[in-house]
Amino acid sequence: MRIKLVSAILTLGLALASCSDRRTVIGVSQCSDDAWRQKVNREIKIGQYQYKDVDVRFCSANNDAKRQVRQIDSLVASGVDLLIVAPSDVSTVTPAVERAYRKSIPVILYDRKIYSDCYTAYVGADNVEIGRVVARFIAAKLGGKGRVLEIAGLKGSTPVEERHRGFVEEISKYPGITTSTVNGDWNVDGARKIMSRSLAVDPNIQCVFGHNDAEALGAWEAAKAVGKEHDIMFVGIDGLPDKRQGIDLVKRGCFAASYIYPTHGETLVPLAMRILNNKPIERMNYLPSSLVTAENAAIVEMQNNEIACQANSLDAIYANIDSYMKMYRSQKIISWLAAFIVLLLIVLAAYNYYVYKTKAKVGRRLRQIADEKVRFFTRASHQLRTPLTLVAGPLRHLISQGGFDDKQQQTLDIIQRNVAELEHLTANVLNFQTRVDSATDNTDQCQQPSISDETVSQLVLQDSRRDIVTKNDPDDDLDTILIVDDNADIRSYLRSLLSPYYYVIDASDGRNGLRLARESVPDLIVSDVMMPIMNGLEFCSKIKADDVTCHIPVILLTARSAESQRIEGYEHGADGYITKPFNADLLLTRIESMLANRRKIKIAQLDGKAEAPDTADANSADNLFMSRFREAAMQHLGDADLKMDDLGSELHLSRVQLYRKIKALTGKSPTDIIREMRLNRGHYLLCHTDRPISEIAYEVGFAVPSYFTTCFKKQYGINPTELRRG
């Protein structure tokens, strides 16, 4: 009790301390990690610095849509307050964004859109307008005539679709210009290959429009390789200031222009905080921008360099602020904990005083109860002595007369032994007062109880009753028999008959027998038919209808011997039917025969057979259960952390029931069978694939490859490496 109280107070203290320093967490899922995205991330950090209680978690999918879906789901599971997502492949990523949105997590789409209205706001450029601006620039430069190659971005991206639509709408106004479009992958290498193939087909290309600067650069490098870099005009999107980026390439004359694809990542965190604080926002937020040409490239580069220097300074300043804030939060938590420790000490002191007073009160009450019990049993024992004397005296006299035959003498001996037992029990009750009085004196001296109420009750009753005890745990060698009968003498007789050969448990009616059968899963059940609460027929039906116990053979004992009654017993699922009074040897023979049949089934299961000879119909439920078990285990074969509790839940069994059911059917534990299944699967993969042994070990559920090798050699007599060589 005291430990639970302390734990509860500490947990409450930690919870309050953490709540006092609640931080807003924003998750950012980027589709890639190129230079443009890195610039965005730096600007997001600048926006974060405006808020002292905001953390930003970044992740990049590297243009892998499925990976981005996993990252989004992971961010949601970690408990982020808001998501900022730049989708990769729209059709793949859209469901993940919808899942987050439907869990009441606000979503800001950045740079790219999705095929759904399940988002809170959009921030990015007007990609249709970008396509139009580039088209007008190219048309003007070409004088309204020429051949243009459009290298679009990765298919499935909304910027690709919108830029292409705007470009085509505008360029179609110039009949003298012909265009061709090829989808790239946003990268230099991919665009270089596309340009090389295009020049081989059409050497008269006059202009290349790349959907980002990387694609335009790849096309320029391919043209340079064949000496055409000065004959073709190149236009890109992104307009970043670094080396081999858009502004630098325009300044050097490699590009005719690069459209500055605006980042403005610093606006994202303020927008997110307005959303989280339920303030009004614009849902569609388009960022303005323009072309960088040879005329303005130097000025734009200078401005970008100045902004970069300012950003670096801000980074240094806010890094110091972060360290100070962490120190402040730590001190705040320590203060909260100190306050709760003081509170804890006060509560513990009050609790100890309460316990002391309660113990004293309980001690007095226990002494009263003990005295009352002693007085009751003393009076009862004195009252018993009179009839015992009247029985014991005449009995001794009768026996002393002699002249009885063996059967009569045996009956008299039984009566005499039981009378002597009653005298012994009565004497013990009388002697019990002197033991209890001594204990009471000791408790008075200590001024608190030294024995519990439960202990006193046990002392009072231990000598007054006799229990039957059984052991851009059963002996492992013994089968378990459950006896169900409402007659205590019958249960005692059957126990004495079966105990030399089996581990025996018993129940006094069908309801308790059913509970005990589910808990202990015995190897065989012997049940009476006529019982209160739940008769043997109903009990047998429920045993056979339960997945946990349906495999257990049931022998019914009854005085009803009519053939129709026997048929009724078999219709309720009985495996055997013995009429009272029964022959002990017959019962033992039937039990051993049925258990031997069960052993055959175990052997069949161990050999992996679906059914044992001549038992297919009777044990179809067992075979079905084993099939369900193996199917469930196969689904989790690669899970090294698989727990029997989880597997049992799938089969609607507790861990103990699953273990005993499988053990009863196969002679092996569920863990042993799953290990064999894993090793069999590993053997197959070793023989039919060339995958590394460690990879196969992980796939079949072994967290440590060396343990897989040890188990494999133990089962097959050869280690995996030797098997591969052979």
Side-chain angles (χ1 to χ4, degrees):
M1 179 67 182
R2 184 180 300 178
I3 294 176
K4 289 182 180 179
L5 180 63
V6 173
S7 300
I9 294 176
L10 283 177
T11 302
L12 177 62
L14 290 171
L16 290 176
S18 61
C19 289
S20 69
D21 195 41
R22 176 71 172 91
R23 298 182 65 78
T24 300
V25 180
I26 298 175
V28 179
S29 173
Q30 292 283 19
C31 59
S32 65
D33 193 35
D34 54 29
W36 193 86
R37 303 284 166 189
Q38 292 173 7
K39 182 172 183 290
V40 172
N41 291 345
R42 288 195 299 272
E43 292 171 350
I44 290 175
K45 291 293 290 184
I46 292 173
Q48 175 193 354
Y49 294 149
Q50 301 177 44
Y51 305 90
K52 65 178 182 178
D53 296 326
V54 174
D55 288 332
V56 180
R57 300 175 184 172
F58 294 93
C59 58
S60 171
N62 293 324
N63 288 320
D64 184 339
K66 292 182 179 179
R67 181 180 181 185
Q68 188 170 27
V69 169
R70 293 193 299 270
Q71 290 174 342
I72 291 173
D73 290 340
S74 177
L75 287 170
V76 171
S78 69
V80 296
D81 298 287
L82 181 141
L83 275 176
I84 299 174
V85 181
S88 180
D89 178 73
V90 183
S91 59
T92 304
V93 177
T94 295
V97 175
E98 289 178 329
R99 285 195 296 273
Y101 186 79
R102 286 168 183 155
K103 290 182 178 179
S104 300
I105 297 177
V107 178
I108 298 176
L109 296 180
Y110 179 69
D111 169 40
R112 303 179 178 189
K113 300 176 183 175
I114 59 172
Y115 295 145
S116 171
D117 286 331
C118 292
Y119 63 91
T120 311
Y122 167 78
V123 177
D126 187 342
N127 283 290
V128 176
E129 181 60 23
I130 290 175
R132 294 192 184 112
V133 171
V134 172
R136 287 195 291 268
F137 175 80
I138 291 174
K141 286 292 186 178
L142 294 178
K145 296 180 180 179
R147 303 176 71 81
V148 179
L149 171 65
E150 179 189 18
I151 303 179
L154 198 65
K155 195 171 183 180
S157 168
T158 54
V160 172
E161 297 172 359
E162 293 175 349
R163 291 173 189 176
H164 174 71
R165 185 168 76 247
F167 179 75
V168 171
E169 287 175 358
E170 190 66 27
I171 209 72
S172 63
K173 297 177 182 178
Y174 303 90
I177 297 178
T178 60
T179 64
S180 59
T181 303
V182 182
N183 279 97
D185 60 0
W186 300 113
N187 295 316
V188 173
D189 292 340
R192 188 187 301 116
K193 294 175 183 177
I194 291 172
M195 185 63 178
S196 297
R197 290 195 299 266
S198 299
L199 285 174
V201 175
D202 183 6
N204 298 318
I205 294 173
Q206 294 173 271
C207 177
V208 174
F209 167 36
H211 274 212
N212 69 351
D213 287 335
E215 291 185 325
L217 176 58
W220 179 84
E221 290 179 349
K224 183 178 180 181
V226 295
K228 287 182 173 284
E229 73 273 22
H230 300 299
D231 300 331
I232 302 173
M233 179 172 64
F234 297 90
V235 179
I237 296 177
D238 279 349
L240 295 176
D242 297 330
K243 291 295 183 182
R244 288 173 59 82
Q245 298 295 330
I247 296 175
D248 178 60
L249 293 169
V250 171
K251 184 179 176 184
R252 287 164 47 196
C254 302
F255 288 4
S258 175
Y259 194 96
I260 297 178
Y261 194 57
T263 52
H264 292 293
E266 71 279 357
T267 65
L268 291 173
V269 175
L271 175 61
M273 296 308 294
R274 289 184 65 84
I275 292 172
L276 292 173
N277 291 321
N278 296 316
K279 293 183 178 179
I281 61 163
E282 291 289 337
R283 190 166 190 250
M284 305 304 293
N285 300 273
Y286 290 107
L287 304 174
S289 190
S290 61
L291 278 170
V292 177
T293 62
E295 290 78 13
N296 63 6
I299 295 174
V300 173
E301 183 179 47
M302 181 178 66
Q303 290 174 339
N304 275 298
N305 289 337
E306 184 177 347
I307 291 172
C309 290
Q310 293 174 350
N312 290 334
S313 298
L314 283 174
D315 282 340
I317 292 171
Y318 282 107
N320 290 331
I321 293 175
D322 280 345
S323 64
Y324 295 145
M325 289 304 298
K326 289 178 182 177
M327 186 181 302
Y328 165 75
R329 288 194 295 270
S330 298
Q331 292 174 345
K332 194 174 182 181
I333 291 173
I334 291 172
S335 298
W336 274 101
L337 289 178
F340 271 94
I341 288 173
V342 172
L343 175 62
L344 175 63
L345 292 174
I346 294 172
V347 171
L348 284 177
Y351 175 76
N352 284 334
Y353 178 76
Y354 168 78
V355 169
Y356 170 77
K357 298 293 289 184
T358 301
K359 280 185 176 181
K361 183 177 179 180
V362 170
R364 289 192 297 271
R365 179 56 182 159
L366 286 177
R367 288 193 295 275
Q368 291 174 358
I369 292 173
D371 292 341
E372 290 172 1
K373 287 180 178 179
V374 170
R375 285 193 294 271
F376 169 78
F377 283 109
T378 302
R379 286 195 301 270
S381 63
H382 278 292
Q383 291 172 356
L384 286 173
R385 282 221 160 190
T386 299
L388 277 176
T389 302
L390 293 174
V391 172
L395 179 62
R396 282 193 293 270
H397 176 73
L398 184 62
I399 292 175
S400 66
Q401 298 296 317
F404 304 106
D405 59 29
D406 292 342
K407 188 173 182 179
Q408 291 173 332
Q409 186 64 46
Q410 185 179 9
T411 302
L412 290 172
D413 289 342
I414 291 173
I415 297 172
Q416 187 178 40
R417 283 198 301 272
N418 282 275
V419 169
E421 180 68 18
L422 285 174
E423 289 181 317
H424 174 71
L425 291 175
T426 304
N428 282 341
V429 172
L430 289 174
N431 293 332
F432 177 72
Q433 185 168 11
T434 305
R435 291 196 299 275
V436 172
D437 287 343
S438 176
T440 304
D441 292 339
N442 290 334
T443 58
D444 289 338
Q445 292 174 6
C446 297
Q447 295 185 350
Q448 62 180 14
S450 61
I451 55 174
S452 67
D453 182 48
E454 181 182 359
T455 304
V456 171
S457 299
Q458 291 173 349
L459 289 172
V460 170
L461 295 176
Q462 67 181 358
D463 287 326
S464 64
R465 71 181 184 184
R466 192 174 191 180
D467 292 334
I468 296 175
V469 180
T470 57
K471 55 184 182 177
N472 167 232
D473 317 322
D475 190 314
D476 290 340
D477 295 331
L478 294 181
D479 291 312
T480 299
I481 306 293
L482 169 61
I483 299 170
V484 185
D485 199 300
D486 61 316
N487 188 298
D489 291 336
I490 291 292
R491 295 200 306 272
S492 177
Y493 172 62
L494 288 174
R495 190 186 302 110
S496 65
L497 180 65
L498 300 176
S499 292
Y501 314 104
Y502 308 103
Y503 176 75
V504 181
I505 55 178
D506 62 73
S508 59
D509 57 69
R511 185 172 63 187
N512 285 323
L514 185 63
R515 175 185 57 79
L516 197 56
R518 285 185 56 83
E519 291 175 357
S520 61
V521 191
D523 295 283
L524 186 139
I525 298 173
V526 177
S527 174
D528 189 19
V529 173
M530 301 300 294
M531 294 185 294
I533 302 178
M534 180 188 293
N535 65 43
L537 296 178
E538 184 182 357
F539 167 71
C540 187
S541 296
K542 291 183 179 295
I543 286 291
K544 295 300 182 178
D546 195 315
D547 281 347
V548 179
T549 59
C550 62
H551 67 283
I552 303 173
V554 178
I555 297 177
L556 291 179
L557 299 178
T558 182
R560 309 191 322 171
S561 58
E563 187 169 332
S564 60
Q565 294 168 338
R566 294 169 63 88
I567 292 173
E568 184 182 14
Y570 288 121
E571 287 176 345
H572 282 78
D575 298 271
Y577 205 90
I578 297 180
T579 305
K580 294 180 180 178
F582 56 84
N583 182 286
D585 291 335
L586 173 62
L587 177 62
L588 288 171
T589 301
R590 292 297 301 276
I591 290 175
E592 181 54 33
S593 175
M594 289 184 178
L595 292 177
N597 196 32
R598 292 304 307 173
R599 294 186 196 105
K600 290 180 182 178
I601 297 173
K602 287 184 182 181
I603 294 172
Q605 294 288 359
L606 288 173
D607 291 339
K609 299 176 183 176
E611 56 193 29
D614 303 324
T615 60
D617 294 336
N619 297 286
S620 58
D622 298 343
N623 298 328
L624 179 60
F625 174 81
M626 287 304 301
S627 297
R628 288 173 51 211
F629 169 74
R630 292 180 185 277
E631 181 180 349
M634 185 61 71
Q635 292 177 357
H636 298 281
L637 210 59
D639 184 1
D641 296 325
L642 176 64
K643 294 180 174 60
M644 290 303 106
D645 293 286
D646 300 331
L647 195 58
S649 295
E650 292 190 20
L651 297 171
H652 307 293
L653 303 177
S654 70
R655 178 181 60 81
V656 174
Q657 289 172 332
L658 176 64
Y659 174 85
R660 291 175 175 171
K661 174 81 173 180
I662 297 297
K663 190 77 171 178
L665 289 177
T666 68
K668 290 187 177 182
S669 69
T671 303
D672 293 335
I673 294 177
I674 292 173
R675 186 185 300 112
E676 289 180 359
M677 293 173 65
R678 285 171 167 164
L679 291 172
N680 289 337
R681 177 62 179 167
H683 187 280
Y684 175 86
L685 293 175
L686 287 168
C687 293
H688 294 83
T689 70
D690 58 356
R691 293 159 61 185
I693 293 174
S694 59
E695 182 179 328
I696 290 175
Y698 295 136
E699 180 170 331
V700 299
F702 283 85
V704 181
S706 60
Y707 182 58
F708 169 74
T709 300
T710 301
C711 294
F712 191 93
K713 184 165 186 180
K714 183 177 180 181
Q715 176 152 327
Y716 295 105
I718 185 174
N719 64 42
T721 305
E722 293 170 342
L723 179 66
R724 279 262 171 94
R725 289 201 201 103

